[in-house]
Amino acid sequence: MVKNVSFNDARDGVADCLKCSLRESVLFAKLKDEVFEQLHDPIDQYTLPVGSTLYRTGDEGGRMYTVRSGILKLVQYLPDGSQRIVRLIRSTDITGLESILGETYQHDAVVLQETEVCALPVRVVENLSKDNPALHRELLNRWQRALNEADAWLTELSTGSAKQRVARLLLRLVKDTQESQCSLFAREDMGAMLGITTETASRTIAEFKRQSLLVETTPNQFLLDIPNLQRIAED
Amino acid sequence: MVKNVSFNDARDGVADCLKCSLRESVLFAKLKDEVFEQLHDPIDQYTLPVGSTLYRTGDEGGRMYTVRSGILKLVQYLPDGSQRIVRLIRSTDITGLESILGETYQHDAVVLQETEVCALPVRVVENLSKDNPALHRELLNRWQRALNEADAWLTELSTGSAKQRVARLLLRLVKDTQESQCSLFAREDMGAMLGITTETASRTIAEFKRQSLLVETTPNQFLLDIPNLQRIAED
DNA sequence: CGCGACATTGAGTTTATTCAAATACGGTGG
DNA sequence: CCACCGTATTTGAATAAACTCAATGTCGCG
């Protein structure tokens, strides 16, 4: 069990959106330079260590977050206390969208790999989207993206045998990148993503290693045998 | 396997939104009467029989649908052809939201109980939402609602033992209604909702019946023993 | 070096799946 | 109205998969 670290003191400073290296792929991609200069509400940047919590279920955040780098898990809990990871948030993703509706956060957002985020006050996003149809449309896109992701987790990661699920998770982790290289999560987290136990996750990964479907190049960096993993994922 | 029935000939006519009995709870709830009178694009109404398909994955629909009555399943398919039901759509729900982004539909939408829908052309919704912040906000709400639902299916309906999942599904089916009464789906569909086999779904339901957790009052109408189902769902 | 956290492995048990058979059910046509 | 057909449900038995609980290994860090 990972201890809860707050991120109060992780503030790096005010982001310079104009010079943002992710400007192309971020929520604000379509905005003109002039618009940024109207921003009097500053956009804060944070760096969050592994195990820290960006926000918690039920918090009244009032902020959405753009992830610049790193990985977060969105976690929900069952009445019996067991956890289920419902989504991963990665570079260029946005999380906490629900706060724009005035809702409290629906998940715990916990850092799996050191993460840099920009905090966007809801007020700012609302104002901007009011007279920026492009931004507004981008918001809808993000919502739909989250929904597609949620559906994919159901269909791909919560259906079929443990071997299939693990294979599909691995393929998902490298899909975007050209590389067939990726790093893995703690077995407990993999279990919580796939709806299987920690032990089953571990056994499956261990077996994949023995079959050279996974080869560890450097610590926690794995090369995947994509064709054979695909065969497992599909049949 | 249910045969595919198109709904081409199911058109009932043009809806009279002003007199809509669901006006309060529908996407257009907050619109003023005058606005409806500006609608030159008519809103068609359809009645769909069980087993028919409202839209298919990949269709370029250009329409969203408000469900007036009945139940639809949203289905996705795995490469091996097996199906997974990712959500149910019921009275006052909207489906096909993705079409407002110009995307094709992400699911097959298949009728489980005779369903009445109103078809909203994307063009109409876009125009209305342009100068109706309330409608616009309602759209966002619907998106978030779908997302919450997707997450809940993952957490509640795809986690834990078959007994727990079935119990949670049953509780979900009566949650909105005051009654502890509900009708059940085909076992094959229940399996596809819960990520279990048809046989396991059947065995579990049969066992619940023997334990009087479910009592059939009239054909396919069941009274639920909610407290005991809750016990099963949670432990 | 040794501690603590995590990963792996083992053995036994439970649960779910598979494949097959039997039963119930709804609707149709005689 | 009843017999019959096709479909869905239920049940059975054997098998396979995943889970539980416990022990052992491994790795990084103080």
Side-chain angles (χ1 to χ4, degrees):
Chain A
M1 202 57 57
V2 177
K3 57 190 164 307
N4 287 320
V5 178
S6 102
F7 72 108
N8 292 332
D9 297 328
R11 184 162 172 281
D12 294 333
V14 173
D16 184 347
C17 297
L18 276 174
K19 298 200 186 109
C20 173
S21 56
L22 271 58
R23 178 85 181 276
E24 301 303 316
S25 39
V26 120
L27 181 63
F28 291 162
K30 300 277 174 50
L31 293 188
K32 299 215 178 66
D33 286 6
E34 305 87 79
V35 178
F36 284 107
E37 279 148 18
Q38 301 162 14
L39 276 184
H40 33 36
D41 288 295
I43 293 183
D44 288 333
Q45 245 184 280
Y46 299 87
T47 302
L48 308 172
V50 172
S52 63
T53 298
L54 179 57
Y55 56 74
R56 283 175 212 281
T57 307
D59 281 357
E60 307 245 12
R63 307 200 287 183
M64 311 173 2
Y65 298 91
T66 298
V67 174
R68 297 177 46 80
S69 68
I71 306 187
L72 293 154
K73 60 176 174 182
L74 298 190
V75 185
Q76 282 186 338
Y77 300 89
L78 287 161
D80 72 354
S82 61
Q83 67 167 249
R84 185 78 209 246
I85 298 175
V86 301
R87 233 167 302 143
L88 292 180
I89 307 294
R90 306 208 272 175
S91 183
T92 76
D93 286 340
I94 293 193
T95 193
L97 274 177
E98 59 268 44
S99 64
I100 208 176
L101 298 172
E103 289 187 19
T104 59
Y105 297 120
Q106 304 292 313
H107 315 94
D108 282 15
V110 179
V111 175
L112 291 185
Q113 291 178 14
E114 183 175 89
T115 293
E116 297 174 290
V117 297
C118 291
L120 316 177
V122 161
R123 198 167 6 105
V124 171
V125 178
E126 269 178 336
N127 284 338
L128 288 178
S129 86
K130 213 179 294 170
D131 23 46
N132 284 283
L135 168 59
H136 171 250
R137 169 161 279 260
E138 193 54 28
L139 263 178
L140 297 187
N141 269 319
R142 299 306 178 123
W143 236 300
Q144 181 60 28
R145 199 196 284 187
L147 197 51
N148 287 340
E149 196 68 9
D151 290 341
W153 275 52
L154 252 187
T155 308
E156 293 177 23
L157 302 186
S158 302
T159 307
S161 67
K163 271 194 256 297
Q164 291 178 310
R165 295 184 196 188
V166 172
R168 295 193 197 114
L169 175 60
L170 293 174
L171 291 170
R172 210 149 232 289
L173 290 178
V174 298
K175 199 168 57 181
D176 327 295
T177 74
Q178 294 308 24
E179 310 283 328
S180 61
Q181 181 123 204
C182 72
S183 60
L184 298 188
F185 305 111
R187 302 299 173 266
E188 187 181 350
D189 284 328
M190 298 185 76
M193 294 177 206
L194 302 175
I196 59 181
T197 58
T198 306
E199 292 93 329
T200 299
S202 176
R203 275 183 239 274
T204 307
I205 289 290
E207 192 190 329
F208 282 4
K209 281 183 193 167
R210 282 190 287 272
Q211 299 172 333
S212 302
L213 296 166
L214 278 179
V215 180
E216 191 161 20
T217 55
T218 64
N220 197 28
Q221 281 296 313
F222 294 86
L223 266 176
L224 305 191
D225 177 349
I226 295 183
N228 280 314
L229 284 171
Q230 258 160 0
R231 201 179 36 68
I232 291 175
E234 296 194 6
D235 84 340
Chain B
M1 201 57 58
V2 177
K3 58 189 164 307
N4 286 320
V5 178
S6 102
F7 72 108
N8 292 331
D9 296 328
R11 183 164 171 281
D12 293 334
V14 174
D16 184 347
C17 298
L18 276 174
K19 299 202 187 108
C20 174
S21 55
L22 272 57
R23 179 87 180 276
E24 300 304 316
S25 40
V26 120
L27 181 63
F28 291 162
K30 301 277 175 52
L31 293 187
K32 299 214 177 68
D33 285 6
E34 305 89 81
V35 178
F36 283 108
E37 280 147 18
Q38 299 161 15
L39 276 184
H40 31 37
D41 288 293
I43 292 181
D44 288 333
Q45 246 184 281
Y46 298 88
T47 302
L48 308 172
V50 171
S52 62
T53 299
L54 179 57
Y55 56 74
R56 280 174 216 284
T57 308
D59 282 357
E60 309 245 12
R63 304 200 289 182
M64 307 170 10
Y65 297 92
T66 297
V67 174
R68 295 177 48 78
S69 67
I71 307 187
L72 294 153
K73 59 176 174 181
L74 298 190
V75 185
Q76 283 186 337
Y77 300 90
L78 287 161
D80 74 352
S82 60
Q83 68 167 247
R84 187 77 210 245
I85 299 174
V86 301
R87 233 167 301 144
L88 291 180
I89 307 295
R90 305 209 272 175
S91 182
T92 75
D93 286 340
I94 293 193
T95 193
L97 274 177
E98 58 268 46
S99 65
I100 208 176
L101 298 173
E103 289 186 20
T104 59
Y105 297 118
Q106 304 292 313
H107 315 94
D108 282 15
V110 178
V111 174
L112 291 185
Q113 290 179 13
E114 183 174 271
T115 293
E116 297 175 291
V117 298
C118 291
L120 316 177
V122 161
R123 199 168 5 105
V124 171
V125 179
E126 269 177 337
N127 285 338
L128 287 179
S129 85
K130 213 178 295 171
D131 25 45
N132 285 283
L135 169 59
H136 171 251
R137 168 161 281 261
E138 193 54 29
L139 264 179
L140 298 188
N141 268 319
R142 299 307 178 123
W143 237 300
Q144 181 60 28
R145 197 196 286 187
L147 197 51
N148 287 340
E149 195 69 8
D151 290 341
W153 275 52
L154 206 49
T155 307
E156 292 177 24
L157 302 186
S158 301
T159 308
S161 68
K163 269 194 259 294
Q164 290 177 312
R165 297 185 195 188
V166 172
R168 294 193 197 116
L169 175 61
L170 294 174
L171 291 171
R172 210 151 232 289
L173 290 178
V174 297
K175 200 167 56 182
D176 326 296
T177 74
Q178 294 309 22
E179 310 284 328
S180 61
Q181 180 124 201
C182 71
S183 59
L184 298 188
F185 305 110
R187 302 299 173 266
E188 187 180 348
D189 284 329
M190 298 186 76
M193 293 177 206
L194 303 175
I196 60 181
T197 58
T198 306
E199 292 94 329
T200 300
S202 174
R203 273 183 239 276
T204 308
I205 289 291
E207 191 190 330
F208 283 3
K209 281 184 194 165
R210 282 189 288 270
Q211 299 173 333
S212 302
L213 297 166
L214 279 179
V215 180
E216 190 160 20
T217 54
T218 64
N220 197 29
Q221 281 294 315
F222 294 85
L223 266 177
L224 306 191
D225 177 349
I226 295 183
N228 279 314
L229 285 171
Q230 258 160 359
R231 203 178 35 69
I232 292 176
E234 296 193 6
D235 85 342

